[in-house]
Amino acid sequence: MDLPEHYRGFYRFNTYFALVMLVVGGVAGLVYVELAKPLDFDKAPPGVHLETIYRLAILHGHCFLVGAVVPMVWVLILQVGRWLDCRPVGAGALRWSLWTYIPGAVSILGLLGYKGWHYTNRVLAYGPDADFNLIHRELFGGSRMWSGVCHGIGHTIATIGLIIFTVAVIRSLRTRERRGA
């Protein structure tokens, strides 16, 4: 069972990306801990404390899930298809799935980081009586349009990548590869 060359490139890219995102996830965890340190319960009582830091906390996990686990699961799914003698997924489908999912995923992680940093710094500035409606309105320079554009584009692009990959793999799983006589 030979591995198509475009699979090699896809596997290599996803492996490098996953490794980088493991490091980014670790750094995100350190940033979360360091940004949350000054938020003692005097500056941010329990409800305010959680509301302030949870975006940074989930950034840490999302880096691992979105950035490392999903790409490596894609590699595993493609390899299982090879083990089952299914027709290879086309190079174009793999290329499109990567170049839509990766920018979308990175933008989603960037949004979480930005929002976590913003909330944490604003609560530190405002203190225990922080107005979360005001803090939320201050995001994206107070522009609801830019907030919607950034969230909509990032999530849509990542979802398109997931859909392209899923449809291509399902088509592949339905057909067996023809072997030479």
Side-chain angles (χ1 to χ4, degrees), residues 22 50 64-65 69 104 116 152:
L22 287 172
L50 178 62
F64 294 123
L65 178 66
V69 173

Side-chain angles (χ1 to χ4, degrees), residues 39 48 50-56 111-126 130-139:
L39 278 173
V48 172
L50 178 62
E51 185 67 33
T52 302
I53 64 169
Y54 91 90
R55 287 164 189 84
L56 286 175
L111 285 168
L112 273 174
Y114 165 65
K115 288 170 75 174
W117 175 85
H118 175 78
Y119 273 80
T120 303
N121 284 311
R122 298 317 295 160
V123 169
L124 282 170
Y126 294 144
D131 178 354
F132 281 91
N133 285 320
L134 173 63
I135 292 171
H136 189 72
R137 283 192 308 270
E138 291 173 343
L139 283 166

Side-chain angles (χ1 to χ4, degrees), residues 83-105:
W83 292 333
L84 296 173
D85 288 329
C86 296
R87 178 182 50 83
V89 172
L94 293 183
R95 192 170 34 256
W96 274 101
S97 64
L98 266 186
W99 295 116
T100 51
Y101 177 76
I102 298 298

Side-chain angles (χ1 to χ4, degrees), residues 128-178:
D129 297 323
D131 178 354
F132 281 91
N133 285 320
L134 173 63
I135 292 171
H136 189 72
R137 283 192 308 270
E138 291 173 343
L139 283 166
F140 299 95
S143 173
R144 290 186 65 190
M145 180 195 72
W146 282 116
S147 175
V149 166
C150 291
H151 285 88
I153 289 175
H155 285 86
T156 301
I157 291 173
T159 302
I160 288 169
L162 289 168
I163 290 169
I164 291 169
F165 183 80
T166 301
V167 169
V169 169
I170 288 171
R171 287 181 177 167
S172 167
L173 291 173
R174 290 182 177 164
T175 59
R176 294 186 55 86
E177 187 172 38
R178 294 179 191 244

Side-chain angles (χ1 to χ4, degrees), residues 15-39:
T15 302
Y16 281 131
F17 185 73
L19 289 169
V20 167
M21 291 310 297
L22 287 172
V23 172
V24 170
V27 170
L30 291 172
V31 168
Y32 157 65
V33 167
E34 291 303 315
L35 281 177
K37 270 185 186 176
L39 278 173

